[in-house]
Amino acid sequence: MASDGIVDESAVLQAFDRSPGIQIVVRASDLRIVAANRGARDVLQREHLVDVRLQDLRDPGIQTIVTALTEVVRTGVRFHEDTIPVLADWSDPASGLWVDLEVTPWLDESGAVVGAIAAGTDVTARVRAASLERAGAATADERLARAREVVLRLQGALLPSTVPLLPRVDVAASYLVAGLEQAAGGDWFDSATLPDGRVSLTVGDVVGHGVEASAIMSQLRAVLAARLLEGAGILDALDAVEAFAGRVSGAFAATVCVALLDPHTGDLEYATRGHPAPLVIGTDGARILPTTGDGPLGSRTEGRVATSRLQDGGAIVLYTDGLVENLHRPLRDGMTVLEKTAMDAYRGTSGEFRTTPSVASRICRHVPAVLTDGGFTDDVTVLAAHRRTAPEPLHLSVPAEPGRLAEVRGEVDAWGRGVGLGTRDRSALVLGVSEVMANAVEHAYRDGDVGSVEVDATIRDDAMIEVVVRDHGRWREPDVDPGERGRGFSMMASAGLQVGVETTAGGTTVTLECPARRPAPVDQADVVVGIGAREKAPLAVTTDQAGARVVRVGGAVDHRAAATQVQAEILRLSRNGLVPVTIDLRDVVHLGSAGVRVLESLLLTIDRLQVIAPAGTPAAQTLEVAGTPFVSSDV
């Protein structure tokens, strides 16, 4: 104030002019600006704003302010809007700024509206920082998407792309990659025909996710497959895997289930190493086979083999724990849903199954879709084999006429589809048969007689497709210089067909062979449980306040970080294994494979370690499946 007590108008005007942001005052009677600070003049790029009418401010970048002032004068209602761009010159975007704008009515002593006052707070720095953050997030999302694509491709490359098909056994597989970050990696499956005619079915799970788990998984799968293909029994093959796992960091506590099925008798041998036992399905219902009671790799348990028999028309399903374990559903309930869902797919009576005649394929499509409908955080693997009635061989005898080629191709394609071949293999087979028949049409009956061509296709017990094409004409030696002709055989070889030719005076026989196999796709999950689901069941690790060495674990132990926290507390309380400790898991809502791995490691490290999981709790159910020792009595 001035010394005489009157307001120092010069100081007020100077303070107003230097106030931050935008300040504009408009008179109501003629909508002229009566005051504007330096910030407003700089942004609007006008040295003089006073006495300028609002309608004379025509730049598109400032129309929000003009409109707001006009409306407040007209209505007398306050206006507020955050993050408004103010740009006087569209040719120079950098000249503008962002403001939080508030326009209030200017009232006289009687309350009448005499104008409007606009105050814009400069938030340009905040907006630009948020923009950079969004750009950074978008870049991070893009990088994460690329990384997940790499992991997904790696997983597809390390897993078998197909499973074998036999006359009496139809095999199918499905693999769903979890959608949490780079979660792919831990599960594997495999199937092959063995030297003694049996079919091997294996499913396993390595603790962890990502590239490291994928690499370990592929090595364990390769060792097991190699020993089985050499003719080793289940125990010998598992011993080889056990020995290899002992030398590979990260393979400890991996689980596996191996089954050998005789296609003709249905005799079944299997062993579980800390892994869920197979599900068998027949006309009398579905049931889970007993586990063989052995712990995961590294648990040093004595291996055992169990036997069973799969009836004619029956199916067997191997799977990983990600199929039945769920934060929202107890493990036992998951097993019940599995049995019912698999039985529905096996029967195939509803309309949704009519387009999929293969029982094994129905199981591998329907079961994961239903059990993961509410989301999942772990990879899901399903491998199914069905003892089917052998497909009827294909036999065609048609005139050697060009007009019959399309008919033959259609018949071969339909037969291949019924056997279970994938699109690529069917296309190769159709190509080969068409080329051989076209050759017979053109060359075998050159004297004007119209003979016949016979096509016989069958699926063999060694998982091979054999197609024999015969004509009864005369063999024509290939030209020395075929020119533009004679490329059929090279095309068939490029398509992956093995071709054999036998010529006699009575005609020519061409034999085509290709593997009998069904594609086994690796897919990314469409619906996943996000981090929020974990927050609903946070990990809690506490020690007994009475002095007893008891570690109480609650919440979800469903990933490596949670399991490591539990391990650290137990090692601290046990003084690195020197003092006996009890682990109480009664409040655990979900015990994943990472938690089982830690418990197995601690049981080997601490001599007097007691694991308590009351009967019926989620932890007890998981430990029963894994074969990890525990007691169910209360402490």
Side-chain angles (χ1 to χ4, degrees):
M1 298 181 65
S3 58
D4 58 1
I6 300 174
V7 174
D8 187 341
E9 294 183 1
S10 175
V12 171
L13 291 174
Q14 187 178 41
F16 173 79
D17 194 53
R18 296 180 180 178
S19 60
I22 297 173
Q23 306 288 336
I24 300 176
V25 182
V26 174
R27 187 169 55 209
S29 59
D30 53 6
L31 292 180
R32 289 183 183 272
I33 297 174
V34 296
N37 71 342
R38 170 60 61 183
R41 297 194 301 274
D42 289 345
V43 170
L44 301 184
Q45 297 183 3
R46 288 173 176 257
E47 184 60 32
H48 302 286
L49 278 175
V50 174
D51 210 32
V52 173
R53 295 182 305 173
L54 287 182
Q55 55 263 42
D56 293 333
L57 299 176
R58 302 180 184 278
D59 298 305
I62 61 175
Q63 289 307 302
T64 301
I65 296 178
V66 172
T67 301
L69 284 165
T70 303
E71 285 300 302
V72 171
V73 168
R74 186 180 67 84
T75 64
V77 178
R78 170 181 169 272
F79 172 90
H80 178 87
E81 185 73 29
D82 288 336
T83 320
I84 291 176
V86 180
L87 185 62
D89 185 359
W90 283 94
S91 66
D92 183 17
S95 66
L97 73 160
W98 295 81
V99 298
D100 288 347
L101 181 65
E102 180 159 351
V103 182
T104 57
W106 173 18
L107 307 177
D108 62 13
E109 294 180 355
S110 65
V113 176
V114 295
I117 304 169
T121 304
D122 188 350
V123 294
T124 305
R126 185 186 74 193
V127 172
R128 289 175 178 171
S131 178
L132 290 173
E133 184 177 347
R134 287 193 298 271
T139 301
D141 289 343
E142 183 179 349
R143 290 175 179 172
L144 178 60
R146 287 199 300 265
R148 279 201 46 75
E149 179 64 22
V150 169
V151 173
L152 194 62
R153 290 184 179 181
L154 174 65
Q155 193 77 348
L158 295 177
L159 289 168
S161 59
T162 60
V163 289
L165 296 169
L166 284 78
R168 293 298 314 278
V169 177
D170 180 22
V171 184
S174 65
Y175 191 113
L176 285 178
V177 178
L180 284 176
E181 299 175 351
Q182 297 182 39
D187 292 9
W188 89 80
F189 66 89
D190 206 353
S191 181
T193 53
L194 304 181
D196 61 4
R198 291 187 293 178
V199 179
S200 66
L201 304 164
T202 61
V203 165
D205 189 0
V206 172
V207 175
H209 299 288
V211 174
E212 179 184 1
S214 293
I216 295 171
M217 166 273 292
S218 67
Q219 295 175 73
L220 296 179
R221 184 181 75 84
V223 171
L224 181 58
R227 289 296 292 132
L228 291 174
L229 289 172
E230 290 169 356
I234 290 180
L235 291 184
D236 288 341
L238 287 174
D239 285 344
V241 176
E242 180 83 53
F244 182 81
R247 300 192 298 270
V248 177
S249 175
F252 178 78
T255 68
V256 62
C257 176
V258 184
L260 304 183
L261 174 65
D262 188 314
H264 298 284
T265 66
D267 291 338
L268 179 70
E269 294 182 0
Y270 71 94
T272 59
R273 297 298 305 270
H275 200 90
L279 169 73
V280 294
I281 314 167
T283 55
D284 54 349
R287 62 187 176 92
I288 302 289
L289 294 175
T291 65
T292 57
D294 303 316
L297 299 182
S299 60
R300 304 176 185 176
T301 54
E302 180 181 353
R304 284 162 288 182
V305 174
T307 61
S308 185
R309 185 177 183 279
L310 195 64
Q311 62 182 235
D312 280 340
I316 179 172
V317 183
L318 281 66
Y319 52 93
T320 52
D321 55 7
L323 180 68
V324 292
E325 288 185 354
N326 192 300
L327 286 170
H328 311 292
R329 179 180 59 218
L331 176 60
R332 193 156 293 160
D333 292 350
M335 303 295 277
T336 302
V337 176
L338 168 62
E339 292 181 24
K340 179 184 183 304
T341 306
M343 195 68 201
D344 290 342
Y346 173 80
R347 289 172 176 156
T349 52
S350 64
E352 62 184 302
F353 299 123
R354 290 173 185 168
T355 58
T356 308
S358 164
V359 171
S361 292
R362 289 203 303 263
I363 292 172
C364 288
R365 292 178 184 178
H366 183 64
V367 169
V370 172
L371 272 83
T372 63
D373 184 55
F376 58 104
T377 57
D378 197 5
D379 295 356
V380 172
T381 301
V382 179
L383 178 65
H386 171 228
R387 281 193 72 212
R388 63 181 176 181
T389 301
E392 290 292 332
L394 174 68
H395 176 73
L396 301 173
S397 180
V398 297
E401 299 173 346
R404 306 304 291 268
L405 288 172
E407 174 189 339
V408 171
R409 287 195 297 268
E411 292 284 351
V412 172
D413 182 72
W415 180 83
R417 188 186 300 273
V419 167
L421 295 180
T423 303
R424 184 174 181 177
D425 289 327
R426 291 202 315 274
S427 297
L429 207 59
V430 168
L431 168 69
V433 172
S434 184
E435 287 295 319
V436 174
M437 183 175 171
N439 189 69
V441 169
E442 186 172 356
H443 301 299
Y445 303 103
R446 297 192 300 274
D447 297 332
D449 297 333
V450 178
S452 64
V453 177
E454 298 169 0
V455 179
D456 291 279
T458 187
I459 178 173
R460 303 194 313 230
D461 284 335
D462 58 353
M464 293 291 292
I465 297 292
E466 180 180 275
V467 181
V468 178
V469 183
R470 299 183 183 87
D471 66 58
H472 304 284
R474 290 183 296 169
W475 169 254
R476 174 182 172 181
E477 292 294 337
D479 295 333
V480 176
D481 181 12
E484 297 298 319
R485 307 168 64 83
R487 292 184 177 152
F489 283 98
S490 62
M491 290 172 57
M492 288 185 278
S494 298
L497 298 175
Q498 300 177 32
V499 185
V501 180
E502 180 183 355
T503 63
T504 66
T508 301
T509 300
V510 178
T511 302
L512 307 176
E513 293 181 342
C514 71
R517 57 195 179 187
R518 169 178 280 118
V522 174
D523 295 322
Q524 183 174 347
D526 293 326
V527 180
V528 297
V529 173
I531 300 300
R534 291 179 178 170
E535 293 173 350
K536 295 177 182 178
L539 177 68
V541 182
T542 59
T543 55
D544 194 285
Q545 299 299 318
R549 295 190 178 274
V550 178
V551 176
R552 302 187 188 278
V553 183
V557 188
D558 57 351
H559 58 293
R560 183 177 295 181
T564 301
Q565 183 178 340
V566 174
Q567 183 181 39
E569 182 61 20
I570 293 171
L571 290 175
R572 183 193 69 77
L573 199 63
S574 68
R575 298 178 184 176
N576 287 327
L578 298 177
V579 177
V581 169
T582 297
I583 308 173
D584 186 355
L585 304 177
R586 73 182 67 209
D587 295 326
V588 170
V589 299
H590 180 83
L591 181 63
S593 55
V596 173
R597 177 184 181 182
V598 162
L599 292 176
E600 293 282 353
S601 176
L602 291 170
L603 286 167
L604 292 175
T605 304
I606 304 174
D607 289 336
R608 288 177 291 173
L609 176 66
Q610 187 178 50
V611 179
I612 293 180
T617 61
Q621 296 178 35
T622 299
L623 294 174
E624 287 174 359
V625 171
T628 304
F630 71 99
V631 296
S632 58
S633 59
D634 291 341
V635 293

